[in-house]
Amino acid sequence: GQDGYEDLSVEQEMHSCFRKAAVNLREIIKIPGVWDLFVKCYVDLLEFYGDHNEARQVLNEYAYNSKFPANPNAHVYLYQFLKRHGESKKSLVSALKILHDIVPSHELMIDFNTMLQKSKKRKKRRLGLEVIFAALDYAGWKENVKAWSCLARQVKQIVISEKHLDWIKQEWNSRKDWWPAFHFSRYLAKRNWQENESLSYEKALVAGILLGKDCKYFKYVSHQGCKAQVKRFRILKKFVNKHNPVYLRISG
């Protein structure tokens, strides 16, 4: 019928436009440079037509070709593609490792840390701790509850097992002169408690381990939590008091 003929004509025209666009985009992104918009469009076209191998090849070339300038977005696009298509955790970690090296404050560092923490390999768990410490060096992460939760969970696991305390010590040595004022002042303790109880809890746990039970941040938050009769803050206070010798080993 007429409708079917018109639909077929439109579809053929669309395919023709795709082929022309694909040829042009392919040629553009062969030239070393930052072609984020063009790469995204080309990959979208390839995925729409089911050409996943070509899409993967384009993204790999864009991310890893040494002739191209270092570009964090190239690794973000590759990671997102790999994740969409259920690629191996090894491939995902590899993509995020380079992103971490380029932009340690990127929002995907939460995903990276989570994957590394779940690994059975000691080297990767060690990297996970390094990743989350590095992210929290940046002002934009100061009130990121997920980031503090990631750090608190890993630090707590290490303290309970009493294995790899040297990991914490190594990370803390380069930060102990400025993190207390940057993250753990009494002013921040008061503000965090008023604005976000969950944030203040996670930070208080980390502060108590890194700076001991006499840390201003930990003392203020734990006192307010116990005063408000919030059970988890009573448990937190007992945990930090019990493991205070860990602070001595880290600081020593």
Side-chain angles (χ1 to χ4, degrees):
Q2 183 67 26
D3 289 344
Y5 176 77
E6 288 177 356
D7 289 343
L8 181 61
S9 177
V10 169
E11 187 175 342
Q12 287 175 338
E13 185 178 353
M14 185 176 70
H15 286 308
S16 176
C17 288
F18 161 70
R19 285 192 293 272
K20 290 176 183 177
V23 169
N24 290 327
L25 289 170
R26 189 185 301 121
E27 291 305 310
I28 289 171
I29 63 179
K30 283 181 180 178
I31 305 166
V34 178
W35 303 111
D36 291 355
L37 182 61
F38 298 98
V39 168
K40 285 191 72 175
C41 289
Y42 188 33
V43 169
D44 284 346
L45 284 170
L46 291 169
E47 285 195 273
F48 181 79
Y49 282 92
D51 196 347
H52 298 150
N53 289 333
E54 175 68 13
R56 183 186 288 103
Q57 186 176 338
V58 167
L59 290 170
N60 274 315
E61 179 73 9
Y62 193 50
Y64 296 124
N65 189 330
S66 60
K67 294 180 181 178
F68 284 76
N71 178 6
N73 286 338
H75 302 283
V76 172
Y77 301 153
L78 177 60
Y79 167 75
Q80 291 171 339
F81 174 86
L82 295 173
K83 190 175 181 180
R84 278 198 303 276
H85 294 280
E87 295 291 332
S88 68
K89 189 175 289 185
K90 184 178 180 180
S91 299
L92 297 176
V93 166
S94 179
L96 290 180
K97 173 65 173 69
I98 298 177
L99 180 62
H100 165 67
D101 294 339
I102 302 171
V103 188
S105 60
H106 196 280
E107 61 184 8
L108 283 174
M109 292 306 103
I110 294 287
D111 289 18
F112 192 29
N113 170 267
T114 301
M115 280 191 284
L116 292 169
Q117 278 199 42
K118 291 179 179 178
S119 175
K120 294 180 180 179
K121 295 183 178 180
R122 185 173 61 179
K123 186 177 179 181
K124 287 186 177 179
R125 296 198 306 276
R126 171 69 183 90
L127 177 59
L129 188 67
E130 178 186 329
V131 165
I132 204 64
F133 260 108
L136 287 165
D137 285 342
Y138 294 84
W141 286 70
K142 287 185 73 171
E143 297 180 356
N144 189 309
V145 182
K146 287 185 178 180
W148 284 106
S149 178
C150 287
L151 180 56
R153 181 168 58 249
Q154 193 164 6
V155 165
K156 189 175 181 179
Q157 289 172 351
I158 291 171
V159 168
I160 290 173
S161 68
E162 294 192 2
K163 294 179 180 179
H164 313 308
L165 287 174
D166 57 309
W167 295 358
I168 300 176
K169 185 172 183 177
Q170 287 170 19
E171 295 301 324
W172 184 234
N173 278 342
S174 61
R175 296 173 171 88
K176 62 185 178 183
D177 292 333
W178 62 279
W179 261 40
F182 188 61
H183 285 309
F184 303 130
S185 67
R186 193 177 188 281
Y187 166 76
L188 283 174
K190 187 175 181 180
R191 194 180 80 180
N192 292 160
W193 171 257
Q194 291 172 344
E195 295 178 357
N196 193 327
E197 183 182 297
S198 294
L199 173 65
S200 66
Y201 172 84
E202 304 294 355
K203 285 185 66 176
L205 174 58
V206 175
I209 296 302
L210 297 178
L211 291 165
K213 62 182 181 180
D214 294 325
C215 164
K216 293 177 182 178
Y217 192 101
F218 169 75
K219 285 177 71 174
Y220 181 87
V221 170
S222 61
H223 175 73
Q224 295 300 320
C226 292
K227 186 178 176 182
Q229 297 185 344
V230 180
K231 184 179 178 181
R232 64 175 179 165
F233 284 92
R234 291 199 300 271
I235 296 171
L236 166 66
K237 190 172 183 178
K238 288 180 181 178
F239 179 83
V240 171
N241 286 336
K242 177 182 177 182
H243 294 282
N244 198 58
V246 169
Y247 151 70
L248 298 174
R249 290 172 65 180
I250 294 170
S251 62

